[in-house]
């Protein structure tokens, strides 16, 4: 049986789930901060506006209902572009003026439904034109139209005064509770981020919808999300995921000339030394050859190295002849199930260039070099981006 689909292609259960509210991703402390802010903001605005009514001849209306909606934005979403001071003050005031103008223009028609629709539509158009889109502004325009308020002064008192006082309370309270307000809506892009900014602008232009988040806040959230994704992917990587499995090894008795040729031909810097059971017994590096040849300076380097590598005829020798005589015996190793992130300090601060990886039975199963590490970090970064 096929699941019925909506016209937009979504299945019916998925379409109905769209009506379910999402969880508000804030903790109890932030909820309390928001509630107290709304209380103080409206109470202060109401008190001062009520006192100001004496200046305006004891006006009967000293606080308008849209301020409640404005308070939600100012104190619960202070980072929203629709909650910024210009949006609150201009959005409410201009919308009130539009509502009054529409009421006067349609007064003789006797069509309150049309008046209401035109008031809200006009308010939206005006707010978009003046870059002060503020949802409560639509309520301000509708308030004028439905209550027959035709005096333009009403847009200044109480609407304008209410808005200014609420914004002032928002600035003080958000600052006191460490929330930036006004919240910067425009920042200059850094030269290194020019490409990212262009991509973000292109995506926003294609999306072509009003977002209740500033462009720069969206950019910051995307960057933080990418960083956390990178950290998560890096934390999940294990040595077995990135190690080189094709191993070039030598044994204790491998002649120095043979080991040196392997280093040169394979263009590697280290050779693990293993026993007959593939267990690690040491490692030989370029540094070990230099130390054995006593290459403390560049004088006579070629001759000293050739002398070290040249086999000594006969059973007796006064110099090292095989790998086991010059190898480093104390080797830092890691298990194949160890997290890669745990090895970062070894490469970064202790000067390690390669770490052998051991598996079951202490057998050598791989090696991680600086190149392997860089490749793994690059892939994790690409996956996060």
């Amino acid at each position: 049986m096929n699941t019925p689909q909506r016209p937009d292609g979504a299945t019916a259960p998925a379409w109905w789930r769209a009506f379910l509210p999402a969880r508000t991703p804030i903790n109890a402390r932030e909820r309390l901060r928001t509630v107290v802010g709304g209380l103080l903001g409206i109470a202060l605005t109401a008190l001062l506006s009520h006192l100001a009514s004496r200046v305006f001849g004891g006006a009967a209306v000293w606080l308008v209902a849209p301020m409640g909606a404005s308070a939600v934005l100012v104190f619960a979403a202070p980072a929203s572009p629709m909650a910024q001071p210009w949006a609150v003050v201009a959005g409410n005031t201009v919308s009130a003026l539009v509502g009054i103008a529409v009421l006067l223009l349609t007064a003789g028609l006797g069509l309150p439904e049309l008046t209401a629709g035109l008031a809200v539509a006009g308010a939206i158009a005006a707010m978009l034109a003046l870059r002060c889109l503020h949802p409560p502004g639509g309520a301000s325009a509708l308030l004028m139209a439905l209550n027959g308020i035709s005096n333009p002064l009403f847009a200044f008192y109480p609407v304008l005064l209410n808005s200014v006082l609420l914004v002032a309370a928002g600035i003080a309270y958000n600052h006191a509770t460490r929330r930036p307000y006004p919240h910067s809506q425009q920042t200059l892009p850094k030269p290194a981020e020019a490409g990212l900014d262009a991509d973000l602008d292109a995506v926003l232009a294609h999306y072509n919808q009003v977002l209740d988040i500033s462009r720069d806040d969206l950019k910051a959230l995307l960057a933080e999300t990418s960083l956390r994704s990178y950290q998560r992917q890096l934390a999940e990587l294990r040595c077995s995921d990135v190690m080189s499995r094709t191993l070039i090894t030598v044994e204790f008795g491998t002649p120095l000339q043979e080991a040196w040729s392997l280093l040169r031909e394979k263009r590697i810097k280290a050779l693990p030394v293993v026993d007959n059971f593939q267990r690690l017994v040491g490692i030989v590096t370029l540094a070990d050859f230099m130390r054995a040849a006593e290459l403390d300076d560049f004088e006579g380097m070629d001759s000293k190295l050739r002398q070290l590598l040249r086999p000594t005829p006969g059973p007796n020798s006064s110099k090292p002849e095989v790998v086991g005589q010059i190898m480093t015996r104390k080797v830092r190793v890691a298990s194949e199930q160890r997290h890669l992130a745990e090895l970062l300090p070894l490469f970064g601060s202790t000067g390690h260039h390669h770490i052998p990886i051991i598996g079951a039975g202490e057998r050598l199963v791989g090696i991680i070099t600086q190149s392997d590490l860089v490749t793994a970090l690059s892939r994790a970064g690409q996956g996060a981006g």
Side-chain angles (χ1 to χ4, degrees):
M1 179 177 178
N2 295 328
T3 303
Q5 292 187 330
R6 303 300 304 172
D8 58 4
T11 61
W15 185 80
W16 281 111
R17 282 198 297 270
F19 289 92
L20 297 176
R23 295 181 179 226
T24 305
I26 57 176
N27 58 26
R29 183 175 181 179
E30 177 62 15
R31 291 169 189 261
L32 179 61
R33 189 200 71 85
T34 298
V35 172
V36 173
L39 167 64
L40 296 178
I42 289 296
L44 181 62
T45 299
L47 175 62
L48 296 179
S49 296
H50 199 179
L51 292 175
S53 67
R54 301 174 184 176
V55 179
F56 294 93
V61 179
W62 38 267
L63 183 67
V64 292
M67 290 304 112
S70 295
V72 173
L73 287 170
V74 171
F75 296 102
S80 169
M82 300 181 188
Q84 300 313 299
W86 172 248
V88 177
V89 175
N92 281 324
T93 305
V94 169
S95 296
L97 288 171
V98 169
I100 293 171
V102 169
L103 178 66
L104 293 174
L105 291 173
T106 60
L109 298 179
L111 297 173
E113 300 85 358
L114 177 62
T115 300
L118 289 174
V120 174
I124 294 174
M127 288 188 288
L128 288 173
L130 296 174
R131 299 183 182 179
C132 59
L133 189 64
H134 185 60
S140 295
L142 192 60
L143 180 67
M144 307 300 117
L146 294 181
N147 288 274
I149 301 173
S150 58
N151 186 356
L153 293 178
F154 193 91
F156 299 96
Y157 179 83
V159 177
L160 175 60
L161 181 61
N162 287 171
S163 301
V164 170
L165 291 174
L166 185 65
V167 164
I171 292 174
Y173 183 78
N174 283 312
H175 178 74
T177 55
R178 298 183 180 180
R179 293 292 182 273
Y181 185 80
H183 195 82
S184 178
Q185 301 297 302
Q186 293 183 351
T187 58
L188 295 176
K190 298 177 181 178
E193 298 177 343
L196 175 62
D197 282 276
D199 291 339
L200 182 57
D201 288 338
V203 171
L204 291 175
H206 178 74
Y207 187 69
N208 195 32
Q209 294 184 41
V210 175
L211 294 178
D212 194 13
I213 182 174
S214 71
R215 172 190 175 281
D216 293 303
D217 283 343
L218 178 60
K219 176 182 172 183
L221 288 174
L222 290 174
E224 179 68 17
T225 302
S226 179
L227 176 60
R228 286 181 178 270
S229 176
Y230 172 77
Q231 293 172 336
R232 174 181 52 77
Q233 292 187 47
L234 182 60
E236 293 174 353
L237 282 176
R238 297 184 184 272
C239 293
S240 58
D241 297 324
V242 302
M243 67 183 185
S244 298
R245 297 179 181 272
T246 303
L247 297 174
I248 302 172
T249 62
V250 293
E251 296 180 350
F252 187 97
T254 301
L256 294 182
Q257 178 66 54
E258 181 180 336
W260 178 258
S261 298
L262 284 173
L263 290 174
R264 295 289 300 273
E265 292 172 5
K266 302 300 182 180
R267 295 183 180 182
I268 54 179
K269 298 180 180 179
L271 287 168
V273 184
V274 297
D275 61 15
N276 293 334
F277 299 98
Q278 201 66 13
R279 290 177 300 198
L280 187 73
V281 296
I283 193 168
V284 62
T285 67
L286 295 175
D288 293 319
F289 277 93
M290 295 179 66
R291 183 174 58 255
E294 300 180 353
L295 298 179
D296 298 328
D297 52 51
F298 292 100
E299 184 177 353
M301 177 182 296
D302 290 342
S303 61
K304 289 181 179 180
L305 185 58
R306 282 196 298 269
Q307 182 180 355
L308 174 68
L309 298 178
R310 185 182 302 117
T312 300
N316 299 319
S317 176
S318 59
K319 68 177 185 67
E321 298 291 336
V322 295
V323 166
Q325 293 176 288
I326 70 168
M327 70 180 184
T328 299
R329 296 176 182 273
K330 293 183 178 180
V331 184
R332 174 83 68 158
V333 298
S335 70
E336 58 183 333
Q337 293 305 313
R338 191 173 181 181
H339 286 95
L340 183 64
E342 298 177 23
L343 302 187
L344 293 180
L346 298 179
F347 284 99
S349 60
T350 61
H352 282 75
H353 300 284
H354 26 252
I355 297 179
I357 307 301
I358 57 176
E362 299 298 314
R363 290 183 174 85
L364 181 69
V365 294
I367 190 169
I368 292 181
T369 66
Q370 286 183 327
S371 297
D372 296 324
L373 181 65
V374 171
T375 300
L377 294 177
S378 176
R379 288 176 179 173
Q382 292 174 358

